[in-house]
Amino acid sequence: MSYPLKNLKLSPVYIDYLMRSPGDTQVGDGKRLLSQTSANDMQDHSHIINAEKISEELSPRYVVHERIGEGSSGWVFRCYDNETQRFVALKVLTNEAFNDEESVTRFEREIEYTRSISHPNVIDIIDSGVTQNGVPFVVMELLEGGNLKEMLLLAPDKQIPFREAVEMLLQISEGIAALHEKGIIHRDIKPGNIIFDEDGTPKVTDLGLARSVNEDFSLTKTGMCLGTPYYMSPEQVRCEPVSLASDIYSLSVLAYEIVMGHRPYEEDNWFELAKSHCADPLPELAVKDAGVPCWFEAFIKKAGAKAPEARYQTAAEFSAVLKLKRIEADAEKNLVAQGIHFIKPNGVLCTYLRNRGISRRRSGMYLLGTIAALTALIILIA
């Protein structure tokens, strides 16, 4: 299933993602939120290069049409790729970023990690290299479907219908699972980094803060918390080492926002927000008005557990459990539609079986077997 955004062309947030330094999304000394980078915050440069100049510094493969953005870390151009015969987005580092060793290192790491992954729900890097003047550049697919942040703003009550939200979460989690399979921690999962192609397929983007599970954190300065505050895991808030489970916490916050239309923690003050991430339980989610079933609330609460070891450990596990829960819910709905009401494990049937000396576990197995048989029978009859 895809999620097209009508009348939305090149997303300003997508342009900003291409332009900004991976270090822009971070919290410094904790005194203010620094995550709200936007296209309006772009700096002016007196030495901006034009499309003609950049064309001269690239191979004939790329025909640069126009500059579509500028920022503190780079310029972004729309150009035509003669080899793939499609329009692409080209990012070139600014002179300042090129002369900053840390910016170049982060830029190169982002390219390396992204190129190592081939998945329909992860942004695709087409090419990278250096210009004739030795300036690094990267060519990415041009995503023109807007981003999840924009989708939520346009959606009624800023919410996505529940079934569509689950399908979207499955695609997003599968993209993150592709990172986790490579041992890569994203560290900055948020709506602005989920961008859609023109067909509405969600893509995980911005690996600028990503780290390998086997890598030290020498690029992270002591006392520096990296991430986007509203979506940071408790361990990120405390500037502690992170793991794949840190992404799961951020994914749970994202999931909450998609189905409820707002973030679970909305404090503007950094210290209050940090306290909420570290200590406050996830607000109630299973409300009738939102059409959210109780099983989803339990699922999200586990994903957003404060202790990393209490969460799902990888995005693959997150996705697998979500798929199973959705299948179980659909099966129950089909049974009810056929006039066969679901009997819960602590209901009359299981109580009867346990009273006859059959354990809770075995009674549950009997019940599941009965449901499976009935479901198969219904399918055969249909």
Side-chain angles (χ1 to χ4, degrees), residues 6-209:
K6 296 181 180 179
N7 303 321
L8 277 181
K9 291 303 180 183
L10 195 66
S11 164
V13 180
Y14 172 60
I15 296 174
D16 178 58
Y17 151 64
L18 288 170
M19 296 182 310
R20 61 189 168 85
S21 166
D24 285 343
T25 303
Q26 65 182 8
V27 176
D29 57 7
K31 296 184 187 288
R32 62 192 182 100
L33 302 184
L34 300 179
S35 61
Q36 283 68 41
T37 305
S38 69
N40 295 327
D41 298 324
M42 298 173 187
Q43 298 181 10
D44 292 328
H45 300 282
S46 59
H47 54 285
I48 289 176
I49 54 178
N50 56 34
E52 182 179 353
K53 183 175 181 181
I54 192 65
S55 291
E56 294 173 355
E57 297 182 5
L58 293 170
S59 70
R61 171 178 173 176
Y62 301 108
V63 179
V64 180
H65 283 243
E66 70 271 354
R67 190 178 67 246
I68 57 177
E70 59 186 83
S72 59
S73 69
W75 297 284
V76 183
F77 296 86
R78 181 197 300 270
C79 63
Y80 188 78
D81 182 354
N82 286 313
E83 185 172 310
T84 62
Q85 297 187 347
R86 60 171 171 164
F87 282 96
V88 294
L90 169 75
K91 175 182 176 180
V92 183
L93 283 182
T94 63
N95 292 341
E96 290 89 349
F98 177 58
N99 292 321
D100 179 67
E101 183 178 352
E102 184 172 310
S103 295
V104 174
T105 300
R106 291 188 187 281
F107 186 69
E108 291 174 344
R109 178 182 282 108
E110 178 178 5
I111 294 173
E112 176 189 353
Y113 286 162
T114 308
R115 294 201 75 160
S116 70
I117 300 163
S118 178
H119 192 277
N121 297 116
V122 178
I123 191 169
D124 183 33
I125 286 185
I126 300 165
D127 189 21
S128 63
V130 295
T131 67
Q132 293 179 5
N133 292 330
V135 180
F137 72 86
V138 62
V139 179
M140 299 183 180
E141 60 180 318
L142 186 62
L143 302 178
E144 299 189 280
N147 61 52
L148 182 54
K149 182 177 180 180
E150 294 167 330
M151 174 177 280
L152 290 171
L153 289 173
L154 292 173
D157 299 322
K158 299 182 180 180
Q159 293 174 265
I160 307 297
F162 180 72
R163 290 187 64 85
E164 294 180 25
V166 169
E167 181 61 31
M168 186 188 300
L169 280 171
L170 283 171
Q171 293 192 52
I172 293 170
S173 62
E174 287 168 4
I176 298 170
L179 274 65
H180 287 186
E181 288 174 7
K182 297 285 187 179
I184 298 171
I185 311 167
H186 189 286
R187 297 207 298 175
D188 198 20
I189 297 168
K190 61 181 179 181
N193 284 341
I194 306 300
I195 305 178
F196 300 87
D197 65 15
E198 60 183 7
D199 296 323
T201 301
K203 306 250 184 184
V204 178
T205 70
D206 196 347
L207 273 65
L209 296 186

